[in-house]
Amino acid sequence: MPPRRAPAEPPASGGTPCRDRRDGRGLVHMRPEELRSHQWYGTDGLRSFSHRARTRQLGYLPEEHLGKPVIAVLNTWSDINPCHVHLRDRAQAVKRGVWQAGGFPLEFPVSTLSETFQKPTPMLYRNLLAMETEELLRSYPVDGAVLMGGCDKSTPALLMGAASADLPAVFVPAGPMLPGHWRGEVLGSGTDMWKYWDDKRAGLIGDCEMAELESGLARSPGHCMTMGTASTLTAAAEALGVTMPGASSIPAVDSGHDRMAAASGMRIVELVRQGRKLSGILTREAYEDAVTTVVGLGGSTNAVIHLIAMAGRSGVTLTLDDFDRIARTVPVLANLRPGGRHLMEDFHFAGGLPGFLSRITDLLHLDRPTVAHTTLREQLHGALVHDDDVIRPRDRALADEGGVAVLRGNLCPDGAVIKHIAAEPRLLKHTGPAVVFDDYRTMQRTINDPALGITADHVLVLRNSGPKGGPGMPEYGMLPIPDHLLKQGVRDMVRISDARMSGTSYGACVLHIAPESYVGGPLALVRTGDLITLDVEARTLHLDVPEEELRRRGAEWTPPPARYGRGYGALYNEHITQADTGCDFAFLARAGEVPDPYAG
């Protein structure tokens, strides 16, 4: 069930909701006294006088804001977030659009979650930004919001918080960076970083080449231009219907990105006047279409965790089984790295997400609303594909089924995921002996130790890297292949962990094992030499150890010490849920009444 909210107090003027002021499409338009912000600005009391006086202190005339929709522009800009460094300028375009539409914009700086720099992982802080978003929108005199983000965790965080606050909202994706270039090659950030780093470890390139790659890999503001987590989640946001059409693929530095930001500012004012809350957009059908989009794009496995959490905030129960069920019906049509060959700028000019969705309309719920149109059907009308290699026709799909598979078995009773289209096919059914690492640092220190005797047939196992054990479930899941195997030409092995993996990564990596080892999940019981069987077609992951032996090991297992003694980390540890349920805080995910504040 969605969070229950106390009914809004009637307007101070004594007015009633207007049901007869409709535009040409039959949509209700609110009177100024029906706006939420009217409770702060429009009454005759002392508090309202104080709010108006303090707005004069900010330099605004009464005509600039009184009776107008107040729009919060939540900006995740930061000097140390290269994905969002241009959002300071884009916020001006959003505000321009709000002014043009007759609204009153107020910019709020909110936490920035930089995948590039924040340790141990921005996933630790996703829920913190979600809390900040929700409480800012609830506690200030705002009628609607424009949410500005794009780097991996910022998209779900902003939408989770906004869904809980349930005001009208539009999401502005940060946009992908320009393609990288190096010695005549077009580079994809992340994906080619992993590739060339392995080449360096294998002795195929040296320090001079790596120095050149440092300057050629990421050439502009914007998030990764592969179908990594950032592009996957912004595409999911567009599929959910909370962005302007085509917004998710516009390159960050393209002038079209400025125009999209301004259009988003104009649109949110209209949404407020129509009283169209986010709960009317984020329906069960919308989330199913987002899953369909993610698996058809060959998108990041991180989307599984985030969409489950986002759906929970909308009162929609989305499960791992939903992902696997939908994935079996959706072909992979986006020829994008890391599973394909093109980049996001190619995808944008090939038709973007509207073009992509136009090829799978039979798999979508076309009669649901979006922020931009009455129905998704109307939004996709006239959408075209301009390059059949970038966005494939159905009869030339990259894969007949979606790019993510959900596994079950005695090693992952609550599930695990694998992006099997990014793995070498020979490894999709594999049995091999485990080599176990108890933590990431130990793995880094010992992976190349000849005494371990690691061969290409071994299964690398990393534990204590999940939501609590990581802490924060870092992107450790693409475990490095030992140097001696790289030099022999080995580029993929079966790797298993309770961690996540960068959406730009690739390989036969089984991720998100639930429950995690840190809380005593079966992964905690694996020992070096145990045989593990992966069978993606059968959707199974099995530890080939007798149940009696596993019970004996379980009786001997002792919980590791807590990661944090105090602070936000302790709060996180006490309330975080497991990967299969979205890694939200339990007290945020549950149903419950949250009253609107009394403005006085």
Side-chain angles (χ1 to χ4, degrees):
M1 294 291 292
R4 296 186 298 275
R5 299 173 179 82
E9 293 193 20
S13 64
T16 57
C18 178
R19 300 301 179 194
D20 56 355
R21 296 181 62 193
R22 298 177 182 271
D23 62 16
R25 294 180 296 172
L27 296 174
V28 174
H29 276 231
M30 301 177 72
R31 293 191 180 102
E33 61 268 23
E34 295 172 330
L35 295 171
R36 183 176 180 272
S37 57
H38 181 81
Q39 299 176 51
W40 275 260
Y41 285 121
T43 68
D44 294 327
L46 172 64
R47 295 297 179 188
S48 190
F49 169 82
S50 174
H51 299 149
R52 294 192 298 269
R54 293 302 187 178
T55 306
R56 303 297 160 268
Q57 181 186 9
L58 290 169
Y60 294 110
L61 295 166
E63 303 91 304
E64 292 185 83
H65 73 97
L66 289 180
K68 296 181 178 181
V70 179
I71 306 301
V73 181
L74 270 57
N75 193 350
T76 54
W77 168 87
S78 168
D79 270 336
I80 200 169
N81 191 336
C83 304
H84 295 177
V85 72
H86 59 303
L87 292 186
R88 171 184 265 181
D89 295 331
R90 291 299 175 275
Q92 301 311 308
V94 171
K95 289 191 278 187
R96 185 178 82 229
V98 173
W99 287 118
Q100 287 287 335
F104 179 60
L106 295 171
E107 186 176 355
F108 291 74
V110 293
S111 300
T112 193
L113 303 181
S114 175
E115 200 69 32
T116 315
F117 291 103
Q118 196 168 24
K119 306 298 180 187
T121 168
M123 183 64 176
L124 186 68
Y125 303 104
R126 183 200 68 182
N127 297 341
L128 185 62
L129 175 54
M131 293 171 67
E132 182 182 17
T133 298
E134 176 181 352
E135 297 308 323
L136 281 176
L137 296 181
R138 181 172 288 115
S139 60
Y140 278 94
V142 299
D143 302 299
V146 175
L147 315 169
M148 304 184 69
C151 194
D152 297 11
K153 312 305 177 293
S154 60
T155 299
L158 291 166
L159 287 171
M160 287 164 66
S164 292
D166 198 23
L167 298 179
V170 175
F171 183 75
V172 171
M177 68 178 85
L178 294 176
H181 283 274
W182 176 70
R183 296 189 178 185
E185 292 189 40
V186 177
L187 304 178
S189 63
T191 300
D192 282 307
M193 178 184 73
W194 310 118
K195 174 184 180 294
Y196 284 109
W197 189 256
D198 281 351
D199 283 353
K200 180 180 184 295
R201 292 172 58 217
L204 300 177
I205 60 175
D207 292 340
C208 290
E209 290 89 348
M210 294 304 292
E212 292 176 14
L213 281 162
E214 280 187 16
S215 299
L217 193 62
R219 297 173 45 240
S220 78
H223 58 67
C224 291
M225 69 306 229
T226 55
M227 187 47 69
T229 303
S231 293
T232 301
L233 266 296
T234 55
E238 184 175 338
L240 285 168
V242 296
T243 76
M244 300 305 289
S248 63
S249 62
I250 304 172
V253 296
D254 193 299
S255 63
H257 200 267
D258 249 333
R259 296 192 296 272
M260 177 271 295
S264 300
M266 296 179 72
R267 186 60 188 155
I268 186 59
V269 176
E270 186 66 14
L271 291 170
V272 168
R273 286 174 171 153
Q274 294 172 2
R276 295 180 62 189
K277 294 183 178 181
L278 207 50
S279 56
I281 306 295
L282 296 178
T283 61
R284 170 80 194 184
E285 292 77 15
Y287 282 106
E288 288 190 349
D289 287 351
V291 174
T292 298
T293 299
V294 165
V295 296
L297 290 170
S300 169
T301 51
N302 286 311
V304 178
I305 292 175
H306 296 314
L307 281 172
I308 288 173
M310 292 160 63
R313 295 296 191 95
S314 301
V316 173
T317 301
L318 193 66
T319 68
L320 290 178
D321 291 337
D322 290 320
F323 275 85
D324 200 62
R325 170 181 57 82
I326 293 172
R328 291 175 184 269
T329 68
V330 182
V332 179
L333 302 182
N335 187 9
L336 300 172
R337 301 181 201 183
R341 58 178 289 241
H342 295 286
L343 297 173
M344 286 301 296
E345 187 171 7
D346 305 313
F347 182 73
H348 178 66
F349 291 113
L353 201 71
F356 171 83
L357 295 179
S358 74
R359 293 201 153 162
I360 55 170
T361 53
D362 57 309
L363 304 176
L364 302 173
H365 299 88
L366 295 174
D367 295 321
R368 61 180 178 85
T370 70
V371 297
H373 289 89
T374 306
T375 65
L376 179 61
R377 185 189 309 277
E378 179 184 330
Q379 182 159 312
L380 296 180
H381 178 72
L384 298 171
V385 174
H386 309 296
D387 189 326
D388 285 345
D389 188 53
V390 178
I391 303 174
R392 296 287 186 87
R394 297 276 278 268
D395 60 0
R396 290 178 51 211
L398 275 76
D400 293 334
E401 292 187 0
V404 175
V406 175
L407 308 175
R408 303 279 183 178
N410 69 343
L411 197 49
C412 52
D414 292 338
V417 302
I418 182 173
K419 188 175 180 177
H420 55 292
I421 66 165
E424 291 188 8
R426 65 182 177 84
L427 296 172
L428 299 182
K429 186 172 185 179
H430 178 82
T431 298
V435 178
V436 180
F437 301 96
D438 282 323
D439 59 80
Y440 192 71
R441 291 185 186 182
T442 300
M443 183 276 299
Q444 286 181 305
R445 189 175 63 251
T446 62
I447 188 72
N448 293 311
D449 186 348
L452 294 178
I454 299 175
T455 71
D457 291 329
H458 276 89
V459 175
L460 303 181
V461 176
L462 174 66
R463 55 189 173 208
N464 295 315
S465 297
K468 293 189 176 185
M473 208 178 179
E475 293 183 337
Y476 293 163
M478 187 181 172
L479 278 67
I481 294 170
D483 287 354
H484 71 277
L485 293 179
L486 287 174
K487 292 174 182 176
Q488 295 171 23
V490 176
R491 286 295 185 272
D492 201 2
M493 295 176 65
V494 175
R495 289 158 278 181
I496 294 174
S497 72
D498 45 16
R500 296 178 300 110
M501 180 174 81
S502 168
T504 64
S505 301
Y506 49 86
C509 301
V510 178
L511 311 159
H512 310 179
I513 285 186
E516 64 177 308
S517 55
Y518 184 85
V519 300
L523 195 66
L525 310 180
V526 182
R527 295 183 179 177
T528 294
D530 290 346
L531 291 179
I532 295 176
T533 297
L534 167 67
D535 189 336
V536 173
E537 184 177 358
R539 299 297 199 265
T540 58
L541 181 68
H542 190 77
L543 177 62
D544 299 331
V545 173
E547 287 298 317
E548 183 178 345
E549 171 63 12
L550 290 178
R551 283 193 294 270
R552 186 186 68 79
R553 294 180 188 181
E556 295 174 353
W557 180 81
T558 55
R563 298 295 195 205
Y564 294 94
R566 58 163 301 282
Y568 174 75
L571 175 74
Y572 177 96
N573 188 70
E574 290 170 10
H575 296 284
I576 196 68
T577 64
Q578 289 292 295
D580 61 304
T581 54
C583 295
D584 201 357
F585 288 162
F587 66 89
L588 294 175
R590 69 179 179 233
E593 188 173 286
V594 181
D596 227 16
Y598 174 60

